[in-house]
Structures are given as C-alpha cells and as structure tokens.
Amino acid sequence: SQTIHQWPATLVQPVGSPLSLECTVEGTSNPNLYWYRQAAGRGLQLLFYSVGIGQISSEVPQNLSASRPQDRQFILSSKKLLLSDSGFYLCAWSMGQRNSPLHFGNGTRLTVT
Amino acid sequence: AQSVTQLGSHVSVSEGALVLLRCNYSSSVPPYLFWYVQYPNQGLQLLLKYTSAATLVKGINGFEAEFKKSETSFHLTKPSAHMSDAAEYFCAVTKGSSNTGKLIFGQGTTLQVKP
C-alpha cells in the first residue's frame, strides 16, 4: 500500500532563517505531488504541484520554492522566512487523473518567530 | 472555473443525532467531488468520493453523500453522530479539465458533537 511521510511534524524558526520541509511517498511510481498551506481560518491553499522529476508549477507568488529531485521526493524551501510563512504545511500525492483523490501526509506546523 | 461553498463554518449536533454538512459546487465540466476529514494537527483523510459511477456514495466511518446535479450539491450525512466524529470537514472539487489532479477545497466545516 502507498504511504506518505512528511517531516518534521513541528518547527519553530526565526524570521530570516532558511527552511526545508521534506516529503516522500512509498508504494507508487510517478505520482503527482503537491504542497498545500493551511492558515488558520483560511482553508487550504495550493502552493506547488509537480507531475514529474524537476517539473514544478507554482500556484501563487510567494517567498517559498519547491523541488523534486527524485520521483517520490518533494521538498519545500525558503531562503529567508517571513512571519507570514507561519502555518500548517501539507504534502499530498495523487495519480494525477481528474477522478484521483489526494492523499495527505500528517503535516508540518511551522511557526516563524 | 470551479468553486466549492460549504454552508456553515460550525455545526453542532448531539451524540446520536443526524449529521448534515452542506456542500455546493460550481463546475464548468462534469465534476469529481470529495469529502475529507481533518482531526487536530493531522493531515486530511479521504472520507468518500464521487466519480460519476453512482450518485449515492458511501464512505468510511458511516458517512455517505449524495450527488445532486440539479441542485449542484454534494451534502455529507451520517445517521447517528459519535463523539469521535468531532473534527473539521472539507468538501473539494477537481480543478479544471486537465489531468493535473488539483483540487479546490471549501473553507471547511467544524463539527462539534455534544454528549
């Protein structure tokens, strides 16, 4: 069966520090991968998605970037964190068809101080 | 373009009572619809999905949802609420007509279950 791992679970970082969140998927090949952010009271916002290695699409302009160095690895990064980057970050995968559900990791709670 | 509206950001029911969480969608193409549940500090878990095979969809934990095209609705129901159902629930629709797998989510409904 497929599993998705996301770490760390919680992170407290000072403003201006770098960020690296990692997500890996097991049990499937060539998945579509996604990074969502969930801010309090604002629902889920799609940040990036990837349909293959090295292929990244950004949904919103922001201080973050994403990379996919391997088929089942998705990384969310920032060179300098802002206070507004605080939130709950969720990685997800799907088979990429219109009727495919997203399968989510357990999320990372990021607090920028 | 697609959109999802969840009516009621907070719903409170008594244990054993009917649960009804409302979702209306807008889609310019035949929609695929999903319900997810999120417990505090966890990711989203798929409850059920509508992919045009049947209009009444049964999911996990006793939940079901009915797709009504004429009403553009996909409401989530459960006959008898349990305390463990207290969580946040999200309705989602597939974005666009291409195979990117992107979903558009509603703002969520927090379900409170009172003893």
Side-chain angles (χ1 to χ4, degrees):
Chain A
S1 63
Q2 302 90 356
T3 56
I4 179 169
H5 302 280
Q6 193 179 339
W7 68 92
T10 60
L11 191 60
V12 180
Q13 292 284 96
V15 168
S17 64
L19 173 73
S20 181
L21 302 181
E22 189 163 342
C23 170
T24 59
V25 180
E26 296 177 357
T28 187
S29 297
N30 196 32
N32 280 17
L33 297 172
Y34 311 82
W35 279 111
Y36 279 83
R37 178 169 58 200
Q38 189 176 25
R42 296 180 63 180
L44 289 99
Q45 180 184 38
L46 179 61
L47 302 176
F48 301 95
Y49 75 95
S50 171
V51 299
I53 296 174
Q55 302 178 62
I56 308 296
S57 296
S58 175
E59 290 290 297
V60 293
Q62 58 200 307
N63 184 44
L64 303 169
S65 61
S67 62
R68 184 171 178 174
Q70 300 181 42
D71 181 46
R72 291 169 288 177
Q73 184 185 28
F74 206 24
I75 298 171
L76 184 69
S77 303
S78 173
K79 292 182 179 178
K80 290 185 178 181
L81 284 168
L82 306 172
L83 285 174
S84 57
D85 292 324
S86 294
F88 193 51
Y89 289 83
L90 291 157
C91 181
W93 73 271
S94 84
M95 291 312 299
Q97 302 300 311
R98 284 198 71 236
N99 62 356
S100 300
L102 293 179
H103 304 278
F104 287 86
N106 283 329
T108 295
R109 174 75 59 191
L110 172 65
T111 304
V112 182
T113 60
Chain B
Q2 288 76 31
S3 66
V4 174
T5 301
Q6 291 183 238
L7 300 176
S9 58
H10 288 84
V11 171
S12 182
V13 301
S14 297
E15 191 175 18
L18 172 71
V19 176
L20 172 60
L21 304 182
R22 300 178 186 274
C23 172
N24 287 89
Y25 69 91
S26 172
S27 180
S28 55
V29 296
Y32 294 113
L33 296 155
F34 308 86
W35 274 100
Y36 286 85
V37 61
Q38 184 180 32
Y39 298 99
N41 293 311
Q42 293 187 25
L44 279 71
Q45 179 183 7
L46 181 67
L47 276 176
L48 49 79
K49 62 180 181 180
Y50 166 74
T51 57
S52 74
T55 56
L56 183 61
V57 181
K58 294 187 183 298
I60 63 171
N61 301 340
F63 285 94
E64 63 181 36
E66 185 171 9
F67 172 72
K68 293 187 176 180
K69 183 178 179 180
S70 61
E71 299 177 10
T72 62
S73 69
F74 190 54
H75 301 332
L76 182 70
T77 60
K78 182 173 179 177
S80 176
H82 295 163
M83 296 298 293
S84 59
D85 294 326
E88 190 159 20
Y89 292 80
F90 292 92
C91 181
V93 65
T94 301
K95 180 178 181 180
S97 57
S98 62
N99 289 334
T100 59
K102 293 187 285 187
L103 298 185
I104 296 174
F105 288 86
Q107 290 298 303
T109 297
T110 300
L111 175 65
Q112 179 187 25
V113 182
K114 297 179 291 186

